[in-house]
Each structure stands twice: as C-alpha cells, then as structure tokens.
C-alpha cells in the first residue's frame, strides 16, 4: 500500500462519486484505476465490456495485471450475454 497524491479537484470528484455509488473514496479511486488500466490495455472494449471483464476476473479470483498485460484475460462477452453493439452493426 502506498500514498498517491492527487489534485484537490480529483479528490472532490472521488468524494462525490464514492458517496453516490456507496463506495469508500479509496474503493472508488481503485475502481477508476482498474477501469482506466483496462481501457488502455484493451482500447477496443467499451465500458460495459470492461465491467464484464472485471466481474469475470473477480469470479476467477481477482484481476491479475500480469494476465491483462499479456492479453490473456477473457475479453469476450459470456456466451449467454447479448451481442455487443459492434457485433450487431457488422454487415452480413
């Protein structure tokens, strides 16, 4: 565990979001960092797909950054999930 210095404005944003979403400030910051990290590693995924990836990672024991960096996280929606908007837009 370490200390991360952030601007007063970002701290206020975290405080507001954490209150609205019933999370601690630290939990909200960690959530935004995980989502941001995955968005950078998987730029082709949208927010919904990243959230699904986080849920699958949690079910598998937690997010492993080493697997994410190697592209070994399952980034495909579950078989029973609805197709993504990208999939629906593809011509036949």
């Amino acid at each position: 565990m370490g200390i991360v210095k952030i601007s007063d404005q970002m701290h206020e944003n975290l405080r507001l979001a954490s209150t609205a979403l019933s999370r601690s400030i630290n939990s909200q910051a960690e959530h935004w960092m995980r989502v941001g990290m995955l968005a950078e590693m998987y730029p082709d995924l949208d927010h919904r797909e990243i959230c699904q990836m986080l849920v699958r990672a949690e079910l598998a024991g937690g997010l492993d950054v080493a697997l994410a960096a190697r592209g070994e996280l399952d980034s495909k929606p579950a078989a029973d999930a609805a197709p993504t908007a990208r999939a629906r837009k593809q011509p036949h």
Side-chain angles (χ1 to χ4, degrees):
M1 184 195 281
I3 296 174
V4 176
K5 292 185 179 187
I6 60 173
S7 69
D8 290 339
Q9 182 62 51
M10 181 55 72
H11 189 271
E12 182 62 14
N13 292 339
L14 279 165
R15 189 188 67 73
L16 291 170
S18 69
T19 300
L21 298 171
S22 300
R23 294 178 175 142
S24 70
I25 290 175
N26 287 345
S27 293
Q28 184 64 42
E30 189 170 334
H31 172 72
W32 280 350
M33 286 188 277
R34 278 193 304 265
V35 170
M37 177 189 68
L38 290 172
E40 287 184 349
M41 291 180 173
Y42 297 91
D44 56 318
L45 298 182
D46 62 27
H47 183 260
R48 180 186 53 79
E49 292 166 321
I50 289 171
C51 289
Q52 288 175 345
M53 181 185 288
L54 286 169
V55 169
R56 285 192 301 276
E58 188 61 32
L59 288 170
L63 180 63
D64 184 338
V65 176
L67 288 177
R70 290 194 303 261
E72 296 177 14
L73 287 180
D74 175 20
S75 61
K76 297 180 190 99
D80 58 346
T84 65
R86 256 190 310 286
R88 288 189 300 266
K89 291 180 184 175
Q90 293 175 348
H92 297 286

